[in-house]
Amino acid sequence: MIDYTLAKRALLRDAQVGLQSVNELCDAHPELMRAAKYVGEPTRVDCPVCGKDKLVLLAYVYGDGLRADNGRVWSIDTGMRMAAADPSALCYVVEVCRSCQWNHLRETFTARHSATG
Ligand SMILES: [Zn+2]
């Protein structure tokens, strides 16, 4: 598991001092926003950008064996299952705000780390 918390802190710090506008941060892909609405895993974490909504978690899965499903957005459960089933697959967990569309990479999983059960 790779922790991107520090990178996120740096990004938010940059946003606060105006180096990056909120519009640049809030660039969620339409498919990501659709998935956030229907299969997003709720968290109790307030959005660090707008503060109006709780963040939800989603999984992007990339893998040579996935063909048409390569790079698509899934629920966390499905993404983890796909990553566990395919040793070449990488699962990126992203957090998304459904109000302002802010999104950020949170963790990366591979089969090596997630195939424990
Ligand atoms: Zn927000």
Side-chain angles (χ1 to χ4, degrees):
M1 188 190 296
I2 302 161
D3 192 342
Y4 290 92
T5 305
L6 285 177
K8 182 172 69 178
R9 284 207 192 107
L11 191 70
L12 286 173
R13 201 176 52 227
D14 287 351
Q16 278 157 8
V17 298
L19 294 176
Q20 274 181 291
S21 74
V22 168
N23 281 342
E24 280 174 278
L25 291 173
C26 302
D27 59 348
H29 189 277
E31 190 191 354
L32 183 65
M33 293 317 298
R34 210 160 36 234
K37 189 171 172 188
Y38 294 110
V39 298
E41 179 99 10
T43 73
R44 283 186 229 142
V45 182
D46 287 326
C47 172
V49 174
C50 71
K52 289 181 195 157
D53 208 347
K54 307 288 186 204
L55 298 175
V56 298
L57 301 180
L58 289 160
Y60 275 107
V61 183
Y62 292 88
D64 292 341
L66 297 175
R67 296 185 187 87
D69 289 335
N70 190 27
R72 290 190 57 194
V73 188
W74 305 90
S75 68
I76 294 292
D77 282 353
T78 304
M80 293 293 182
R81 205 160 51 231
M82 289 171 72
D86 183 345
S88 74
L90 256 178
C91 177
Y92 295 95
V93 176
V94 294
E95 47 192 23
V96 182
C97 173
R98 287 172 294 188
S99 285
C100 72
Q101 307 195 356
W102 183 76
N103 62 105
H104 196 270
L105 182 61
R106 179 177 171 126
E107 288 156 7
T108 307
F109 294 91
T110 65
R112 223 182 0 223
H113 297 294
S114 56
T116 51

